[in-house]
Amino acid sequence: KVLDVNEKLNVTYCIDTWLRDEQIKLATARVKGRIAPVETVRTAPIAVVCFGPSLNDTWEKIKGFKYIISCSGAHKFLIDRGVIPTWHCEVDPRAHKVALMGPPNEGVEYLIASACHPALFDHLEGFNVKIWHVFASEEESLLLLPPGEWAITGGSSVGLRAMTIARFLGFVNLHVFGMDGCEGKSGKHAAEHPNQPPGYSLTHYNGVEYRTTPSMLACAKQTFHELNMMPNVRTKFYGEGLVQAMALDYKPKPIAKGKALIGFAKPILISPDYARLNFELHHT
């Protein structure tokens, strides 16, 4: 099948919404740590490390970064090579993320979406874990968001979320590795993946043919919308792939004032003490 890079792609969420919401409730009750925004701009470079095949060609450059945020299988890939991420983030709600992540490391702070599978939280028990919520505009998701807690935007892939979380943590100088949007010499990922989708489709960009999938292509296209939402961020993409080729043509589009949203916190309408007092008044 050939995919037109200019056409809208029909992709769907990987699990039922009701199951996602149940996992959010479980994680919110289980994990005490929460992600918090950094208001001060941090000009130091940060490596945002995804698990695309080009990571095999570029990973040694990551050793020079003080700050690293990994995602997906990049966690195990880097640690196996002696590179310890500062942060690691996950968003996929399925259980295979446990095998893909590999053993946890005490030097890493784990930023895990509340929608992630309970098995992942079991895997990270006793380590430094903070949760965040995936921003979604439907009414049910907003009702489920606890008051005072942050929902983060960022698109359909964990790599896009990692870029947004890096900005949420104050970073504006992003260096992105392994975000390819296509297959490479090692396949769809830099190393073994326990849930790799079979087959591929073809797409063409600037006269070059790429092997991809509808979801990978959709995320590749979303990359530049997410960058538009972070107007003061400067991004450098490493390696060769579809996203890197698209980045060469990227021209930022101005976003209307107040519309460049990367995070949303539901207002706290009643203090915990006042809520407890109301409970006691109505249950005694």
Side-chain angles (χ1 to χ4, degrees):
K1 183 178 179 180
V2 177
L3 303 174
D4 187 337
V5 74
N6 296 307
E7 288 185 359
K8 185 177 181 180
L9 295 153
N10 184 24
V11 295
T12 57
Y13 196 61
C14 56
I15 63 171
D16 291 335
T17 302
W18 69 265
L19 179 56
R20 176 202 67 184
D21 291 349
E22 288 303 309
Q23 292 184 179
I24 290 171
K25 293 174 186 176
L26 288 171
T28 302
R30 174 178 185 170
V31 180
K32 303 304 181 187
R34 297 293 186 270
I35 194 171
V38 175
E39 301 292 344
T40 304
V41 171
R42 305 164 86 167
T43 58
I46 182 171
V48 179
V49 188
C50 306
F51 195 42
S54 71
L55 184 59
N56 284 297
D57 302 321
T58 60
W59 73 268
E60 291 194 63
K61 296 178 181 178
I62 299 166
K63 293 189 287 186
F65 286 82
K66 179 180 179 181
Y67 300 106
I68 301 167
I69 181 167
S70 63
C71 59
S72 188
H75 175 272
K76 183 177 186 300
F77 184 99
L78 291 178
I79 291 176
D80 284 350
R81 289 158 177 79
V83 181
I84 310 300
T86 319
W87 300 276
H88 177 77
C89 70
E90 291 289 356
V91 70
D92 193 303
R94 296 170 292 180
H96 75 268
K97 300 304 294 186
V98 172
L100 187 58
M101 175 188 290
N105 185 284
E106 291 183 354
V108 181
E109 182 173 310
Y110 292 93
L111 308 178
I112 309 299
S114 58
C116 286
H117 197 280
L120 184 61
F121 291 103
D122 291 342
H123 185 60
L124 293 171
E125 186 69 38
F127 288 84
N128 184 7
V129 178
K130 291 184 171 64
I131 63 168
W132 52 280
H133 305 282
V134 174
F135 179 82
S137 58
E138 67 260 22
E139 185 176 354
E140 286 184 20
S141 293
L142 294 175
L143 289 173
L144 198 60
L145 179 65
E149 297 192 15
W150 284 94
I152 309 296
T153 66
S156 301
S157 76
V158 67
L160 298 178
R161 299 281 175 172
M163 289 200 310
T164 305
I165 288 174
R167 179 62 190 93
F168 188 77
L169 296 176
F171 292 96
V172 295
N173 183 6
L174 275 55
H175 295 252
V176 183
F177 296 80
M179 183 180 284
D180 302 337
C182 64
E183 290 191 5
K185 289 177 288 187
S186 58
K188 294 180 176 68
H189 301 93
E192 183 180 359
H193 192 295
N195 197 33
Q196 183 163 273
Y200 61 87
S201 298
L202 298 176
T203 195
H204 298 86
Y205 186 79
N206 284 349
V208 179
E209 184 176 82
Y210 297 92
R211 291 185 177 189
T212 188
T213 67
S215 61
M216 290 169 69
L217 180 55
C219 293
K221 294 168 65 175
Q222 287 174 12
T223 303
F224 306 99
H225 167 77
E226 302 310 326
L227 290 180
N228 287 335
M229 300 300 286
M230 303 184 288
N232 63 339
V233 165
R234 296 296 173 264
T235 310
K236 179 178 179 179
F237 292 87
Y238 291 72
E240 295 184 2
L242 176 59
V243 171
Q244 294 92 327
M246 290 178 165
L248 295 175
D249 296 328
Y250 168 61
K251 293 180 175 57
K253 294 181 180 179
I255 300 296
K257 188 175 181 180
K259 297 294 185 180
L261 176 72
I262 65 167
F264 171 83
K266 184 188 288 186
I268 299 175
L269 301 179
I270 182 171
S271 71
D273 288 341
Y274 191 44
R276 185 168 54 253
L277 177 61
N278 277 343
F279 179 85
E280 291 171 355
L281 288 172
H282 290 90
H283 291 81
T284 56

Coordinates of all heavy atoms in Angstrom, one line a residue, residues 149-217:
E149 N -3.7 18.7 39.2 CA -2.7 17.9 38.5 C -2.7 18.2 37.0 O -3.6 18.7 36.4 CB -3.1 16.4 38.7 CG -3.0 16.0 40.2 CD -3.1 14.5 40.4 OE1 -2.9 13.8 39.5 OE2 -3.4 14.1 41.6
W150 N -1.5 17.9 36.4 CA -1.2 18.3 35.1 C -1.5 17.3 34.0 O -1.1 16.1 34.1 CB 0.3 18.7 35.0 CG 0.5 20.0 35.6 CD1 1.0 20.3 36.9 CD2 0.4 21.3 35.0 NE1 1.1 21.6 37.1 CE2 0.8 22.3 36.0 CE3 0.0 21.8 33.7 CZ2 0.7 23.7 35.7 CZ3 0.0 23.1 33.5 CH2 0.3 24.1 34.5
A151 N -2.2 17.7 33.0 CA -2.4 17.0 31.7 C -1.5 17.6 30.7 O -1.4 18.8 30.5 CB -3.8 17.0 31.3
I152 N -0.7 16.8 30.0 CA 0.3 17.2 29.0 C -0.2 16.9 27.6 O -0.7 15.9 27.3 CB 1.7 16.6 29.3 CG1 2.1 16.7 30.7 CG2 2.7 17.2 28.4 CD1 2.3 18.1 31.2
T153 N 0.0 17.9 26.7 CA -0.3 17.7 25.3 C 0.9 17.0 24.6 O 1.8 16.5 25.3 CB -0.6 19.0 24.6 OG1 0.6 19.8 24.6 CG2 -1.7 19.8 25.3
G154 N 0.9 16.9 23.3 CA 2.1 16.4 22.6 C 1.9 15.5 21.5 O 2.9 15.0 21.0
G155 N 0.7 15.1 21.1 CA 0.6 14.2 19.9 C 0.4 12.8 20.3 O 0.3 12.4 21.4
S156 N 0.5 11.9 19.2 CA 0.1 10.5 19.3 C 1.2 9.6 19.7 O 1.0 8.4 19.9 CB -0.5 10.1 18.0 OG -1.7 10.9 17.7
S157 N 2.5 10.0 19.8 CA 3.6 9.1 20.1 C 4.3 9.5 21.3 O 4.3 10.7 21.7 CB 4.6 9.1 18.9 OG 5.4 10.2 18.9
V158 N 5.0 8.6 21.9 CA 5.7 8.9 23.2 C 6.9 9.9 22.8 O 7.3 10.7 23.7 CB 6.2 7.6 23.8 CG1 7.3 6.9 23.0 CG2 6.7 7.9 25.2
G159 N 7.4 9.8 21.6 CA 8.5 10.7 21.3 C 8.0 12.1 21.3 O 8.7 13.1 21.7
L160 N 6.8 12.4 20.7 CA 6.3 13.7 20.7 C 6.0 14.2 22.1 O 6.2 15.3 22.5 CB 5.0 13.8 19.8 CG 5.2 13.4 18.4 CD1 3.9 13.4 17.6 CD2 6.2 14.4 17.7
R161 N 5.5 13.3 22.9 CA 5.2 13.6 24.3 C 6.5 14.0 25.1 O 6.6 14.8 25.9 CB 4.5 12.5 25.0 CG 3.2 12.1 24.5 CD 2.1 13.1 24.9 NE 0.8 12.8 24.2 CZ -0.4 13.3 24.5 NH1 -0.4 14.2 25.4 NH2 -1.4 13.0 23.8
A162 N 7.6 13.2 24.7 CA 8.9 13.5 25.4 C 9.4 14.9 25.0 O 10.0 15.6 25.9 CB 9.9 12.4 25.0
M163 N 9.2 15.3 23.8 CA 9.6 16.7 23.4 C 8.8 17.7 24.2 O 9.4 18.7 24.7 CB 9.4 16.9 21.9 CG 10.3 16.2 21.0 SD 10.4 16.9 19.3 CE 8.7 17.0 18.9
T164 N 7.5 17.5 24.4 CA 6.7 18.4 25.1 C 7.0 18.4 26.6 O 7.0 19.5 27.2 CB 5.2 18.0 24.9 OG1 4.9 18.0 23.5 CG2 4.3 19.1 25.5
I165 N 7.3 17.2 27.1 CA 7.7 17.2 28.6 C 9.0 17.9 28.8 O 9.2 18.5 29.8 CB 7.7 15.7 29.0 CG1 6.3 15.1 29.1 CG2 8.4 15.6 30.4 CD1 6.2 13.7 29.5
A166 N 9.9 17.8 27.8 CA 11.2 18.5 28.0 C 10.9 20.0 28.1 O 11.5 20.7 28.9 CB 12.1 18.2 26.8
R167 N 10.0 20.5 27.3 CA 9.7 21.9 27.4 C 8.9 22.2 28.7 O 9.2 23.3 29.3 CB 8.8 22.4 26.2 CG 8.3 23.8 26.3 CD 9.6 24.7 26.2 NE 9.3 26.1 26.5 CZ 9.3 26.7 27.7 NH1 9.7 26.0 28.7 NH2 9.1 28.0 27.8
F168 N 8.1 21.3 29.1 CA 7.4 21.5 30.4 C 8.4 21.6 31.6 O 8.1 22.3 32.5 CB 6.5 20.3 30.6 CG 5.5 20.3 31.8 CD1 4.4 21.1 31.7 CD2 5.8 19.6 32.9 CE1 3.5 21.2 32.8 CE2 4.9 19.7 34.0 CZ 3.8 20.5 33.9
L169 N 9.5 20.9 31.4 CA 10.6 20.9 32.4 C 11.5 22.1 32.2 O 12.5 22.2 32.9 CB 11.4 19.6 32.4 CG 10.6 18.4 32.7 CD1 11.5 17.1 32.6 CD2 10.1 18.4 34.2
G170 N 11.2 23.0 31.3 CA 11.9 24.3 31.1 C 12.9 24.3 30.0 O 13.4 25.4 29.6
F171 N 13.1 23.2 29.3 CA 14.2 23.2 28.2 C 13.6 23.7 26.9 O 12.5 23.5 26.5 CB 14.6 21.7 28.0 CG 15.4 21.1 29.2 CD1 14.7 20.4 30.1 CD2 16.7 21.4 29.3 CE1 15.4 19.8 31.2 CE2 17.4 20.9 30.4 CZ 16.8 20.1 31.4
V172 N 14.5 24.5 26.3 CA 14.1 25.1 25.0 C 15.1 24.8 23.9 O 15.0 25.2 22.7 CB 14.0 26.7 25.1 CG1 12.9 27.0 26.0 CG2 15.3 27.3 25.6
N173 N 16.2 24.0 24.2 CA 17.2 23.6 23.3 C 17.2 22.1 23.1 O 17.9 21.4 23.8 CB 18.6 24.1 23.7 CG 19.7 23.8 22.8 OD1 19.5 23.3 21.7 ND2 20.9 24.2 23.2
L174 N 16.4 21.6 22.2 CA 16.1 20.2 22.1 C 17.0 19.5 21.0 O 17.0 20.1 19.9 CB 14.6 19.9 21.8 CG 13.7 19.8 23.0 CD1 13.8 21.1 23.9 CD2 12.3 19.6 22.5
H175 N 17.6 18.4 21.3 CA 18.3 17.6 20.3 C 17.7 16.2 20.3 O 17.7 15.5 21.2 CB 19.8 17.5 20.7 CG 20.5 18.9 20.7 ND1 21.4 19.2 19.8 CD2 20.3 20.0 21.5 CE1 21.8 20.5 20.0 NE2 21.2 20.9 21.1
V176 N 17.1 15.9 19.1 CA 16.2 14.7 19.0 C 16.9 13.6 18.3 O 17.3 13.8 17.1 CB 14.9 15.1 18.3 CG1 13.9 13.9 18.3 CG2 14.2 16.3 19.1
F177 N 16.9 12.5 18.9 CA 17.6 11.3 18.3 C 16.5 10.2 18.1 O 15.6 10.0 18.9 CB 18.7 10.8 19.3 CG 19.8 11.7 19.5 CD1 19.7 12.8 20.4 CD2 21.0 11.5 18.7 CE1 20.8 13.6 20.5 CE2 22.1 12.4 18.9 CZ 22.0 13.4 19.8
G178 N 16.7 9.4 17.0 CA 15.9 8.2 16.8 C 14.4 8.5 16.5 O 13.6 7.6 16.6
M179 N 14.1 9.7 16.1 CA 12.7 10.0 15.7 C 12.7 10.0 14.2 O 13.0 11.1 13.6 CB 12.2 11.4 16.3 CG 10.8 11.7 16.0 SD 10.2 13.2 16.6 CE 9.9 12.8 18.3
D180 N 12.3 8.9 13.6 CA 12.5 8.7 12.2 C 11.2 8.7 11.4 O 11.1 9.2 10.2 CB 13.2 7.4 11.9 CG 14.6 7.4 12.6 OD1 15.1 8.4 12.9 OD2 15.1 6.2 12.9
G181 N 10.1 8.1 11.9 CA 8.9 8.0 11.2 C 8.9 7.0 10.1 O 8.0 7.0 9.2
C182 N 9.9 6.1 10.0 CA 10.1 5.2 8.9 C 11.0 4.0 9.4 O 11.6 4.1 10.4 CB 10.6 5.9 7.7 SG 12.3 6.5 7.9
E183 N 11.0 3.0 8.6 CA 12.0 1.9 8.8 C 13.4 2.3 8.4 O 13.6 3.3 7.7 CB 11.6 0.7 8.0 CG 10.3 0.0 8.5 CD 10.1 -1.3 7.8 OE1 11.0 -1.8 7.1 OE2 9.0 -1.9 8.1
G184 N 14.4 1.6 9.0 CA 15.8 1.7 8.6 C 16.4 0.4 8.5 O 15.8 -0.6 8.4
K185 N 17.7 0.4 8.6 CA 18.5 -0.9 8.5 C 18.1 -1.9 9.5 O 18.2 -3.1 9.2 CB 20.0 -0.6 8.6 CG 20.5 0.2 7.3 CD 22.0 0.5 7.5 CE 22.2 1.6 8.5 NZ 23.6 2.1 8.6
S186 N 17.7 -1.5 10.7 CA 17.4 -2.4 11.8 C 15.8 -2.7 11.8 O 15.4 -3.3 12.8 CB 17.9 -1.9 13.1 OG 17.3 -0.7 13.4
G187 N 15.1 -2.2 10.9 CA 13.7 -2.4 10.9 C 13.0 -1.1 11.4 O 13.4 0.0 11.1
K188 N 11.9 -1.3 12.1 CA 11.1 -0.1 12.5 C 11.7 0.5 13.8 O 11.3 1.6 14.2 CB 9.6 -0.6 12.8 CG 8.9 -1.0 11.6 CD 7.4 -1.4 11.9 CE 6.6 -1.7 10.7 NZ 7.1 -2.9 10.0
H189 N 12.6 -0.2 14.5 CA 13.2 0.3 15.7 C 14.7 0.0 15.7 O 15.2 -0.7 14.9 CB 12.5 -0.4 16.9 CG 11.0 -0.1 17.0 ND1 10.1 -1.0 16.4 CD2 10.3 0.9 17.5 CE1 8.9 -0.5 16.6 NE2 9.0 0.7 17.3
A190 N 15.3 0.6 16.7 CA 16.8 0.5 16.8 C 17.2 -0.9 17.2 O 18.4 -1.3 17.0 CB 17.3 1.5 17.8
A191 N 16.3 -1.7 17.9 CA 16.6 -3.0 18.4 C 15.3 -3.8 18.5 O 14.3 -3.3 18.1 CB 17.4 -2.9 19.7
E192 N 15.4 -5.0 19.1 CA 14.2 -5.8 19.3 C 13.1 -5.1 19.9 O 13.3 -4.4 20.9 CB 14.6 -7.1 20.0 CG 13.4 -8.1 20.1 CD 13.8 -9.3 20.9 OE1 15.0 -9.4 21.4 OE2 13.0 -10.2 21.1
H193 N 11.9 -5.3 19.4 CA 10.6 -4.8 20.0 C 9.6 -5.9 20.2 O 9.3 -6.6 19.2 CB 10.1 -3.7 19.0 CG 9.0 -2.8 19.6 ND1 7.8 -3.3 19.9 CD2 9.0 -1.5 19.8 CE1 7.0 -2.3 20.4 NE2 7.7 -1.2 20.4
P194 N 9.0 -6.0 21.4 CA 8.1 -7.2 21.6 C 6.8 -7.0 21.0 O 6.0 -8.0 21.0 CB 8.0 -7.2 23.2 CG 8.3 -5.7 23.6 CD 9.3 -5.2 22.6
N195 N 6.4 -5.9 20.4 CA 5.1 -5.7 19.9 C 5.2 -4.9 18.6 O 4.4 -4.0 18.3 CB 4.2 -5.0 20.9 CG 2.7 -5.1 20.5 OD1 2.3 -6.1 19.9 ND2 2.0 -4.1 20.8
Q196 N 6.2 -5.2 17.7 CA 6.4 -4.5 16.5 C 5.3 -4.8 15.5 O 5.0 -6.0 15.2 CB 7.8 -4.8 15.9 CG 8.1 -4.0 14.6 CD 9.6 -4.1 14.3 OE1 10.3 -3.3 14.8 NE2 10.0 -5.0 13.6
P197 N 4.7 -3.8 14.9 CA 3.6 -4.1 13.9 C 4.2 -4.7 12.7 O 5.3 -4.4 12.2 CB 3.0 -2.7 13.6 CG 4.1 -1.7 14.0 CD 4.9 -2.3 15.1
P198 N 3.4 -5.7 12.1 CA 3.9 -6.4 10.9 C 3.8 -5.5 9.7 O 2.9 -4.6 9.6 CB 3.0 -7.6 10.9 CG 1.8 -7.2 11.5 CD 2.1 -6.2 12.6
G199 N 4.5 -5.8 8.7 CA 4.4 -5.2 7.4 C 4.7 -3.7 7.3 O 5.2 -3.1 8.3
Y200 N 4.5 -3.1 6.2 CA 4.8 -1.7 6.0 C 4.0 -1.2 4.8 O 3.5 -1.9 4.0 CB 6.3 -1.5 5.8 CG 6.9 -2.1 4.6 CD1 6.9 -1.5 3.4 CD2 7.5 -3.4 4.7 CE1 7.4 -2.1 2.2 CE2 8.0 -4.0 3.5 CZ 7.9 -3.3 2.3 OH 8.5 -3.9 1.2
S201 N 3.9 0.1 4.8 CA 3.4 0.8 3.6 C 4.5 1.7 3.0 O 5.5 1.9 3.7 CB 2.2 1.7 4.0 OG 1.1 0.9 4.4
L202 N 4.3 2.2 1.8 CA 5.3 3.1 1.2 C 4.8 4.5 1.2 O 3.6 4.7 1.0 CB 5.7 2.6 -0.2 CG 6.3 1.2 -0.3 CD1 6.5 0.9 -1.8 CD2 7.6 1.1 0.4
T203 N 5.7 5.4 1.4 CA 5.3 6.8 1.1 C 6.5 7.5 0.5 O 7.6 7.0 0.6 CB 4.9 7.5 2.4 OG1 4.2 8.7 2.1 CG2 6.1 7.8 3.3
H204 N 6.2 8.6 -0.1 CA 7.3 9.4 -0.8 C 7.4 10.8 -0.3 O 6.3 11.4 -0.1 CB 7.1 9.4 -2.3 CG 7.1 8.0 -2.9 ND1 5.9 7.2 -3.0 CD2 8.1 7.3 -3.5 CE1 6.2 6.1 -3.6 NE2 7.5 6.1 -3.9
Y205 N 8.6 11.3 -0.1 CA 8.8 12.7 0.3 C 10.0 13.2 -0.4 O 11.1 12.7 -0.3 CB 8.9 12.8 1.9 CG 9.0 14.2 2.3 CD1 7.8 14.9 2.5 CD2 10.2 14.8 2.6 CE1 7.8 16.2 2.9 CE2 10.2 16.1 3.0 CZ 9.0 16.9 3.2 OH 9.0 18.2 3.6
N206 N 9.8 14.3 -1.1 CA 10.9 14.9 -1.9 C 11.6 13.9 -2.8 O 12.8 14.0 -2.9 CB 11.9 15.6 -0.9 CG 11.3 17.0 -0.4 OD1 10.3 17.5 -0.9 ND2 12.0 17.5 0.6
G207 N 10.8 13.0 -3.4 CA 11.4 12.1 -4.3 C 12.0 10.9 -3.7 O 12.6 10.0 -4.4
V208 N 12.0 10.8 -2.4 CA 12.6 9.6 -1.7 C 11.5 8.7 -1.2 O 10.5 9.2 -0.6 CB 13.5 10.1 -0.5 CG1 14.1 8.9 0.2 CG2 14.6 11.0 -1.0
E209 N 11.7 7.4 -1.4 CA 10.7 6.4 -0.9 C 11.1 5.9 0.5 O 12.2 5.6 0.8 CB 10.7 5.2 -1.9 CG 9.6 4.2 -1.5 CD 9.5 3.1 -2.5 OE1 10.4 2.2 -2.4 OE2 8.7 3.2 -3.4
Y210 N 10.0 5.9 1.4 CA 10.2 5.4 2.8 C 9.3 4.3 3.1 O 8.1 4.3 2.6 CB 10.0 6.6 3.7 CG 11.0 7.7 3.6 CD1 10.7 8.8 2.8 CD2 12.2 7.8 4.3 CE1 11.5 9.9 2.7 CE2 13.1 8.8 4.2 CZ 12.7 9.9 3.4 OH 13.6 10.9 3.2
R211 N 9.7 3.3 3.9 CA 8.8 2.3 4.4 C 8.3 2.8 5.8 O 9.1 3.2 6.6 CB 9.6 1.0 4.7 CG 10.0 0.3 3.4 CD 10.6 -1.0 3.7 NE 11.0 -1.8 2.5 CZ 11.4 -3.1 2.6 NH1 11.5 -3.7 3.7 NH2 11.7 -3.7 1.5
T212 N 7.0 2.8 5.9 CA 6.4 3.4 7.1 C 5.1 2.6 7.4 O 4.8 1.6 6.8 CB 6.1 4.9 7.0 OG1 5.7 5.5 8.2 CG2 5.1 5.2 5.9
T213 N 4.3 3.1 8.4 CA 3.0 2.6 8.7 C 2.1 3.8 8.8 O 2.5 5.0 9.0 CB 2.9 1.8 10.0 OG1 3.2 2.7 11.1 CG2 4.0 0.7 9.9
P214 N 0.7 3.6 8.8 CA -0.1 4.8 8.9 C 0.1 5.5 10.2 O 0.1 6.8 10.3 CB -1.5 4.2 8.9 CG -1.4 3.0 8.0 CD 0.0 2.4 8.3
S215 N 0.3 4.8 11.3 CA 0.5 5.5 12.6 C 1.9 6.2 12.7 O 2.0 7.3 13.2 CB 0.4 4.5 13.8 OG 1.4 3.5 13.7
M216 N 2.9 5.6 12.1 CA 4.2 6.2 12.1 C 4.2 7.5 11.2 O 4.7 8.5 11.6 CB 5.3 5.3 11.5 CG 5.6 4.1 12.5 SD 6.6 2.8 11.7 CE 8.2 3.7 11.5
L217 N 3.5 7.4 10.1 CA 3.4 8.6 9.2 C 2.6 9.7 9.9 O 2.9 10.9 9.8 CB 2.8 8.2 7.9 CG 2.6 9.3 6.8 CD1 4.0 10.0 6.6 CD2 2.1 8.8 5.5

